[in-house]
């Protein structure tokens, strides 16, 4: 994983959830809630700047043999946001609610990092990236984030690898 983009992919993947939880508990959190919201906005901004800096790095080629859309995986991951929000809204005492919510968000983040699910970032979907499962000529399967509406089955792509099986295409279609 490219370190700096990886950090901001992680932070920005959970920033919308944490921001929503902060808004839901703003009365209780006071200034700390506003600080959390500011950090969430900062995480999104730093992701944008990190991706811009990544565009100055030489891309690697992928010769594709098959390409499949995989956007439903992002939606499935984003749906895991529902449980912490339900706890925040309907949880019991303040202490129980905070501990339960924080524990679930930490668990989700841990799974996200340990499984290398950086491509399941809902913020990138909001930025217009689509998720594709690309099989290369050598048989390697790569999860590709791209703004392209269509990627031909057999094509030569230029991508920036974020990990051994995750890449991002920062320029337009091939």
């Amino acid at each position: 994983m490219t370190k700096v983009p990886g950090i901001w992919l992680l932070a920005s993947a959970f920033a919308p959830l944490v921001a929503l939880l902060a808004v839901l508990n703003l009365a209780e959190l006071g200034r700390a809630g506003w600080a959390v919201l500011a950090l969430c906005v900062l995480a999104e901004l730093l992701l944008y700047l990190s991706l811009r800096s990544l565009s100055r790095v030489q891309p690697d080629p992928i010769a594709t043999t098959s390409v499949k859309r995989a956007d439903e995986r992002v939606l499935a991951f984003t749906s895991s946001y529902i449980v912490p929000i339900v706890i925040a809204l309907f949880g019991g005492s303040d202490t129980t609610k905070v501990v339960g919510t924080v524990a679930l968000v930490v668990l989700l983040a841990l799974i996200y990092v340990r499984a290398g699910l950086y491509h399941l970032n809902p913020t990138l979907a909001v930025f217009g990236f689509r998720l594709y499962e690309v099989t290369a000529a050598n048989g390697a399967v790569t999860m590709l984030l791209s703004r392209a509406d269509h990627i031909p089955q057999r094509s030569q792509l230029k991508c920036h690898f974020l990990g051994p099986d995750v890449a991002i295409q920062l320029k337009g279609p091939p």
Side-chain angles (χ1 to χ4, degrees), residues 65-162:
T65 58
S66 74
V67 178
K68 295 189 291 188
R69 288 283 295 262
D71 289 327
E72 73 282 351
R73 296 178 189 184
V74 177
L75 183 60
F77 173 76
T78 306
S79 67
S80 65
Y81 281 14
I82 293 171
V83 176
I85 293 169
V86 168
I87 289 174
L89 286 173
F90 304 111
S93 69
D94 289 340
T95 305
T96 304
K97 183 177 12 176
V98 170
V99 169
T101 303
V102 169
L104 280 172
V105 172
V106 168
L107 179 64
L108 284 171
L110 184 63
I111 292 168
Y112 183 84
V113 170
R114 299 285 290 173
L117 300 175
Y118 299 97
H119 55 283
L120 299 180
N121 187 322
T123 300
L124 292 175
V126 171
F127 286 168
F129 285 92
R130 292 170 182 80
L131 184 61
Y132 296 91
E133 183 179 301
V134 175
T135 304
N138 66 1
V141 176
T142 302
M143 298 309 296
L144 175 68
L145 292 156
S146 176
R147 286 194 173 110
D149 290 328
H150 172 73
I151 297 177
Q153 292 296 316
R154 298 191 183 275
S155 60
Q156 187 75 17
L157 305 175
K158 294 189 185 293
C159 310
H160 300 277
F161 279 84
L162 301 173

Side-chain angles (χ1 to χ4, degrees), residues 1-87:
M1 168 61 69
T2 306
K3 296 282 189 247
V4 174
I7 291 167
W8 300 124
L9 281 167
L10 170 64
S12 69
F14 290 93
L17 172 61
V18 172
L20 182 56
L21 291 171
V23 167
L24 292 174
N25 295 299
L26 203 53
E28 298 157 13
L29 295 173
R31 286 187 178 167
W34 287 106
V36 167
L37 287 172
L39 288 174
C40 291
V41 170
L42 180 63
E44 301 301 337
L45 177 64
L46 290 173
L47 172 67
Y48 172 77
L49 294 174
S50 179
L51 291 178
R52 282 198 55 184
S53 71
L54 188 62
S55 69
R56 291 190 284 271
V57 176
Q58 183 69 27
D60 295 315
I62 300 178
T64 68
T65 58
S66 74
V67 178
K68 295 189 291 188
R69 288 283 295 262
D71 289 327
E72 73 282 351
R73 296 178 189 184
V74 177
L75 183 60
F77 173 76
T78 306
S79 67
S80 65
Y81 281 14
I82 293 171
V83 176
I85 293 169
V86 168
I87 289 174

